[in-house]
Amino acid sequence: MKTVFFDIQPYEKTFFEGFKDEAFEKIYIKEPIDEHYEVNSQIGDAQILSVFITSTLTKEVLSKFANLKFILTRSVGFSHIDLNYCKEHNIFVFNTPHYGDYTVAEYTFGILLATVRNIEKGARGLKKDSIDMQEYTGIELFDKTIGVIGAGSIGKNVLDIAKGFKMKTLAYDPYPYGDYNFCPLDELIKNSDIISINAPLTENNHHLINRETISKMKDGVIITNAARGEIIDTQALLEGLLSKKIAYAALDVVECEEILCSKSSECAKLNNIKENCLEKFYLNQKLLALPNVTITPHMAYNTKEATERILKMTGENIISCINFNINTGAKNLVLL
């Protein structure tokens, strides 16, 4: 089965080269794929595509692969894949669930602490031999109320860690399960000192954090997002920060994050930029300039252990494709 890997990193290529199955033909492409990518005859007959979240598999992209049977996303989330098209065309989608349940939860607190305790600012000042303790004054997490939106595997670990800081906890999830002090979303929004977003992106939660929801939050609220940037309306977030309604924002993801860096080679290709992303790019640059905002490049997943789990599960998914039986299904199958 011809398999094309997009967004491929050298360490990933080394791992997948270990698969010697004759039924598994491999092509590696370091760039992501989107609707502007030119699909040539070498890859157009692929039966398997493996991608990371930096690729966008719209129906326009998928329609270029006439023989496509399987998609393997090296991520938990699959909002970058048109599942409706896949369902209509009997394309089976696999993901890598739970690889970062603790990884991302730990990072949520890492970026949160770095922001509210001004850790980077203090370290940078010391390196410049310019120390200003008043400028570095932060806030404690102790006794604060953290509200977690999206209490799945990652969100529940965030709540468990919060208890170690002796924080009060609230949780919201469309499918509440377990003893995690679940409440309606509106109650969480109104009563949380810190709001942590740990939900997958869906049609229902796009711009869930917007002008209306921000207006209901406590003055001086702190927002952290290690899920998907599109859950927050960037314009509303910037306005909330400028008005000081929001005291801090700790973000590992933003809208249109693929063009966040202006020096990226892909940014120079204006026809590659999605609709409205130039506006988001401008707003993100404004966010980056604010002293009470920390933005990192979608790296919460990025630990040695987590990347090894992604590779292992993707390898398992490859074997599932080769031996696929529609009657029995397979582990990590998102769409059947």
Side-chain angles (χ1 to χ4, degrees):
M1 302 180 78
K2 180 179 285 188
T3 303
V4 183
F5 294 87
F6 288 92
D7 320 273
I8 201 74
Q9 299 296 319
Y11 72 89
E12 294 177 303
K13 182 177 179 180
T14 300
F15 178 85
F16 293 121
E17 279 298 291
F19 282 79
K20 303 300 183 182
D21 195 311
E22 293 181 0
F24 180 41
E25 178 186 352
K26 304 175 284 290
I27 297 175
Y28 303 104
I29 299 174
K30 66 178 181 179
E31 294 85 8
I33 183 171
D34 60 21
E35 62 190 50
H36 302 289
Y37 191 92
E38 186 175 342
V39 176
N40 57 35
S41 58
Q42 183 188 16
I43 65 172
D45 59 347
Q47 294 160 296
I48 303 174
L49 295 182
S50 178
V51 298
F52 192 53
I53 55 172
T54 42
S55 284
T56 305
L57 297 182
T58 62
K59 62 181 180 181
E60 290 79 12
V61 174
L62 295 171
S63 64
K64 298 175 183 179
F65 296 90
N67 298 327
L68 187 61
K69 298 298 181 185
F70 303 101
I71 296 172
L72 313 179
T73 182
R74 305 188 301 278
S75 63
V76 177
F78 37 83
S79 58
H80 53 301
I81 301 170
D82 188 334
L83 294 184
N84 289 328
Y85 180 94
C86 292
K87 187 173 183 178
E88 291 169 3
H89 293 80
N90 295 316
I91 299 169
F92 301 95
V93 180
F94 290 79
N95 69 339
T96 54
H98 305 299
Y99 77 84
D101 291 353
Y102 294 96
T103 312
V104 177
E106 290 175 3
Y107 192 88
T108 295
F109 276 89
I111 193 172
L112 175 61
L113 285 167
T115 304
V116 303
R117 294 300 304 272
N118 295 302
I119 292 173
E120 181 185 6
K121 192 182 296 183
R124 190 168 56 243
L126 183 59
K127 287 181 179 181
K128 294 180 178 179
D129 198 23
S130 175
I131 299 172
D132 184 345
M133 288 300 176
Q134 185 172 349
E135 185 181 353
Y136 306 154
T137 302
I139 66 167
E140 296 178 350
L141 298 185
F142 168 71
D143 205 35
K144 300 293 191 300
T145 297
I146 184 169
V148 173
I149 297 176
S153 299
I154 294 172
K156 285 173 180 172
N157 286 332
V158 171
L159 291 161
D160 288 339
I161 294 171
K163 292 173 184 177
F165 282 93
K166 299 190 184 303
M167 302 177 74
K168 301 167 186 172
T169 61
L170 295 172
Y172 168 77
D173 195 277
Y175 308 100
Y177 177 77
D179 185 18
Y180 283 94
N181 201 18
F182 286 97
C183 67
L185 179 62
D186 202 52
E187 183 179 330
L188 182 149
I189 291 290
K190 292 178 179 178
N191 294 300
S192 297
D193 301 300
I194 299 163
I195 295 174
S196 177
I197 299 171
N198 298 100
L201 178 64
T202 68
E203 293 180 357
N204 296 325
N205 66 16
H206 181 267
H207 284 186
L208 180 70
I209 304 301
N210 52 47
R211 286 189 182 95
E212 181 181 358
T213 51
I214 290 173
S215 70
K216 298 176 182 178
M217 295 177 187
K218 288 185 177 183
D219 292 341
V221 69
I222 298 160
I223 296 177
T224 182
N225 186 4
R228 289 293 184 268
E230 290 76 14
I231 297 176
I232 299 179
D233 181 340
T234 308
Q235 178 71 54
L237 176 66
L238 179 60
E239 291 171 1
L241 286 158
L242 293 175
S243 70
K244 302 193 184 307
K245 176 73 174 181
I246 302 171
Y248 295 94
L251 312 170
D252 185 48
V253 289
V254 294
E255 291 189 277
C256 297
E257 63 188 38
E258 65 272 17
I259 62 165
L260 184 60
C261 175
S262 61
K263 293 184 180 180
S264 165
S265 60
E266 289 302 306
C267 292
K269 303 175 184 177
L270 292 179
N271 64 331
N272 284 6
I273 298 175
K274 292 183 289 190
E275 185 179 359
N276 297 325
C277 273
L278 284 177
E279 175 188 345
K280 303 300 183 187
F281 175 78
Y282 172 78
L283 295 171
N284 287 333
Q285 295 303 313
K286 291 290 187 183
L287 289 174
L288 281 166
L290 295 178
N292 54 341
V293 175
T294 301
I295 301 178
T296 54
H298 202 147
M299 55 187 276
Y301 75 95
N302 193 15
T303 63
K304 179 178 181 293
E305 295 86 352
T307 53
E308 287 175 352
R309 286 191 286 267
I310 292 173
L311 292 175
K312 181 180 178 181
M313 277 189 274
T314 303
E316 293 170 352
N317 293 343
I318 290 169
I319 295 170
S320 293
C321 292
I322 294 172
N323 302 315
F324 190 72
N325 185 328
I326 194 170
N327 296 317
T328 59
K331 185 179 179 182
N332 303 332
L333 187 62
V334 172
L335 188 66
L336 180 59

